């Protein structure tokens, strides 16, 4: 059992401990982040959170170093997806310290990208990816149709409501905000048509548009069901083939 | 016909009457509860409701006693799911009287847990349970993806809107409230982005997120359809087998 | 060709004209009704609408009389679904005139029940009915689950928000209104939780509840698809059988 | 290689360049339009946008001329769908200049109809069209049912809320606006029931209505899945037939 088995594989006890430790650190640092944004925190809690962040970064740095050290093609690892993810998980902290930007918010928020480290261990992400591949064409088609519907809704409501509500529908981009909130049926209530024409237009948009926006959801769900059935069939066949083989012997 | 047949089975007339009585008492006490919270109730109605609650608790106590008495393994019944449910249905009342906590709201609200008594008689709950088993994996996958989407939305909107609306988006937890109301498309209108960046971010979140949140619904529906088809096939096969048998004779 | 063929069947030219006339009258009177509620109507338009309503009622009365006259079992027709529908279409008008209740709103609103006259001619209603039969069990199951979810949401939010917002959540019935608007994701914004507990509870309710409320939609859609496929198969088989027969000759 | 091959086909390099140029011009002019509506634009940007619009119209005019010139049946092209679309893409501009209506908004907004030019190159539109054909009957059925639900909701809420909120529910058409925003679950919050009767009615409407409005979405999604499976089967069969043929040789 060498170092590479521990870092890159999970066949050994030590390898599993290593993987689990990294996962727990990711989740813990992800949970700690929102707590640190609470306005009223005692000095002690704030200090503990800062020390915890420091320790996590040190451990992730060691992990990053180990992964580079044990990989056969080091340059290939550094430029691979997971190599970049591992770097992104620690780089913001060092940049913040080096440039004294610890209080700059964008630096701190980049911490959430550590979540990507978890995809290394996730079979769920692979299944999701396969389902997306099945409905790829339809999603692109509906993405296009949805963009057109969004565009036409935006231009239309701008035409109908601009004069009646010059503030709420000040420009096409203000109208786009209305179109987004309406077609997804969120309906915050900060922008809505008040003219007869605008309301009739909204009716048309909702009747034709909501379906277009909501269809991809159903497509994705049915693709996931299909992926599940295919997996089940493959397993059953595999099982049947195994049995056939053992009988042949 | 002994006592156990009446309490535990529904093959006899008396057993069915016993079961139906318990069910009616549960439903009646569940309906009576919200009425008792109405602000303007005459003294008479309030008294009737209190007496009704007292009678229901007495009857449920007798039922609980009978169920312990007739069960073969008494300790196993008391610690079983339904044994605990039967206890929870009456315990709050006695605790309230004993500790003079009748006016403490949490004690009174625990009455609604009596609903669980009905699951003893429900085949619908079993079908639901089977459908959930079919899509268990996907639900967990989407639960995870949904949590990540929720987390990223929360952190993102906090970054974009914190300065423009320091009250509405005071902390990550305030932003979480916005993310919940938006991704489920409820959109109360008490919190919404006002900056250009926040609105573009909301657009992205809605386009990517709404699907993720809504997919489990479609999955559950398709699993229920599958469970129905399986039931129908099983019944048809059973029927065919029966016919085959009777022909063989 | 006698009167009965005209009134009850649509094989003859006159029968089709009779049917089409009734349908047009129903639709026209249904469209005329909302116009009569507009606050600013000229005296002339108001008069025309009243005369139109009078003529429609007279024609429906003649139709009703004819249908009684030509039916074989007159009492059975009068007490049948369509007999009652035909009566309801004209009765409110006569009651209004006789009792001088023409201005009572409930009398005037009952006019919309004339829509039911159209179901006599509708094959679409039959298909819908068949689809509902297929998913009947699941709809009842989810109806039950939805009621329980609604009940628990109502009681829960009442517990969490009553003290913070004594006006909005004044009683269980006020909380029910919130639960309805939230679980259907309408979210008017007239009632929403403000406490931390209430918001966490809302999160749970939305995660568990929205699916339960939305599932019946997917079920109904898949049942309609199934009904369509069954129809197509039946037609194909019918066609095959017809061909087989003609070949046999 | 003649002019017709370039304009009408995409087999040649020049033909593909011609097609791609037109597509890019459409998209660019569609993107430029909303920018020109922004309230605060520098004089320079405004001038650039006007020149860009002028150039696009000139190029589309040349394209229109070329398409007429190369087509075999010129009159048939001019009166065809794509001939009219090509004309509509340029006509508003010339009308605006000729009649000095450049500032009239409806003239400018008709620019968005240029999007239709893209449908010439789109196979996605054809697939969408096929899916709509599959569920045509159900969509019409649900369109009808949805209209009836909308009508009854409108009349009902008018009856319940008119007295309590004479402004918000001033006429049937004001109630229709509420019904649209509620049944699509947008729920802007500008109109909602406040009476006990109106709220109970809203509950009924939402329970029965939301499903009816949302079902077509699921139907369309399942039709698209079906179209995809049919395509896959056809391709597989085609492939099988090809192989069979090559073996026969």
């Amino acid at each position: 059992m060498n170092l590479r088995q521990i870092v890159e594989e999970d066949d050994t006890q030590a390898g599993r401990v290593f993987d689990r430790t990294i996962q727990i650190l990711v989740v813990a640092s992800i949970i700690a982040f929102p707590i640190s944004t609470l306005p009223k925190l005692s000095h002690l809690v704030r200090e503990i959170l800062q020390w915890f962040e420091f320790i996590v970064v040190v451990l992730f740095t060691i992990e990053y170093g180990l992964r580079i050290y044990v990989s056969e093609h080091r340059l290939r690892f550094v430029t691979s997806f997971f190599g970049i993810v591992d770097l992104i998980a620690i780089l913001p902290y060092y940049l913040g310290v080096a440039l004294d930007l610890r209080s700059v918010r964008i630096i701190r928020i980049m911490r959430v990208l550590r979540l990507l480290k978890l995809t290394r261990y996730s079979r769920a992400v692979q299944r999701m990816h396969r389902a997306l591949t099945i409905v790829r064409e339809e999603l692109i088609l509906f993405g296009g149709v949805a963009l057109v519907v969004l565009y036409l809704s935006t231009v239309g409501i701008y035409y109908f409501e601009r004069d009646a509500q010059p503030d709420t529908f000040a420009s096409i981009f203000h109208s786009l905000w209305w179109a987004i909130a309406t077609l997804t049926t969120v309906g915050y209530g900060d922008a809505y048509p008040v003219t007869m024409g605008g309301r009739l237009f909204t009716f048309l948009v909702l009747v034709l548009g909501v379906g277009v926006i909501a269809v991809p959801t159903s497509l994705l769900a049915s693709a996931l069901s299909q992926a599940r059935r295919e997996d089940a069939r493959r397993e059953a066949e595999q099982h049947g083939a195994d049995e056939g083989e053992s009988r042949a012997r």
Side-chain angles (χ1 to χ4, degrees), chain A residues 1-239:
Chain A
M1 189 181 80
N2 56 16
L3 194 61
R4 209 180 131 206
Q5 275 182 310
I6 297 172
V7 176
E8 292 195 344
E9 281 158 41
D10 64 345
D11 300 342
T12 61
Q13 180 71 19
R16 274 192 294 275
V17 168
F18 183 85
D19 284 5
R20 198 48 55 94
T21 308
I22 298 297
Q23 291 167 27
I24 289 169
L25 282 174
V26 170
V27 170
S29 89
I30 284 296
I31 292 170
F33 174 55
I35 295 170
S36 74
T37 68
L38 283 174
K40 288 174 199 158
L41 274 186
S42 74
H43 189 70
L44 180 71
V45 174
R46 207 170 287 277
E47 201 129 296
I48 291 172
L49 287 170
Q50 277 169 10
W51 271 102
F52 176 70
E53 173 66 11
F54 175 71
I55 292 163
V56 166
V57 169
V58 166
L59 290 174
F60 283 175
T61 309
I62 295 168
E63 182 213 356
Y64 184 55
L66 282 175
R67 286 197 189 273
I68 294 176
Y69 177 73
V70 301
S71 62
E72 284 178 41
H73 307 276
R74 279 164 197 181
L75 192 72
R76 198 184 288 169
F77 169 74
V78 171
T79 58
S80 74
F81 174 71
F82 287 123
I84 292 166
V85 162
D86 286 340
L87 184 61
I88 284 175
I90 51 173
L91 199 63
Y93 187 85
Y94 291 118
L95 280 178
V97 174
L99 308 170
D100 201 22
L101 297 169
R102 264 162 300 182
S103 60
V104 174
R105 210 184 304 149
I106 187 81
I107 292 287
R108 287 193 290 139
I109 275 191
M110 283 186 69
R111 244 188 252 178
V112 302
L113 295 173
R114 282 179 195 159
L115 264 176
L116 292 170
K117 280 174 89 85
L118 290 181
T119 58
R120 182 180 268 129
Y121 311 101
S122 173
R123 257 169 309 197
V125 172
Q126 292 161 24
R127 294 197 61 179
M128 186 79 178
H129 182 257
R130 199 145 50 83
L132 284 174
T133 313
I134 295 177
V135 284
R136 202 172 138 271
E137 262 182 82
E138 278 93 346
L139 285 184
I140 290 171
L141 162 58
F142 266 86
V145 174
L147 272 181
V148 170
V149 166
L150 206 60
Y151 183 82
L152 294 179
S153 311
T154 303
V155 171
I157 204 71
Y158 180 67
Y159 170 70
F160 281 114
E161 293 291 322
R162 189 198 187 180
D163 293 331
Q165 304 185 80
D167 286 335
T168 314
F169 295 93
S171 76
I172 282 281
F173 293 99
H174 287 80
S175 304
L176 177 64
W177 173 242
W178 168 87
I180 292 165
T182 298
L183 282 170
T184 55
T185 79
V186 171
Y188 287 120
D190 56 337
Y192 47 85
V194 295
T195 65
M196 182 66 98
R199 290 183 166 185
L200 283 178
F201 180 76
T202 305
F203 176 47
L204 279 176
V205 160
L206 281 170
V207 167
L208 299 176
V210 167
V212 168
I213 303 289
V215 159
T217 302
S218 298
L219 289 177
L220 193 56
S222 92
L224 270 164
S225 299
Q226 190 181 327
R228 174 161 43 84
R229 279 196 298 273
E230 278 173 13
D231 279 9
R233 205 180 305 141
R234 200 169 306 149
E235 266 172 43
E237 274 169 15
Q238 189 63 35
H239 194 69

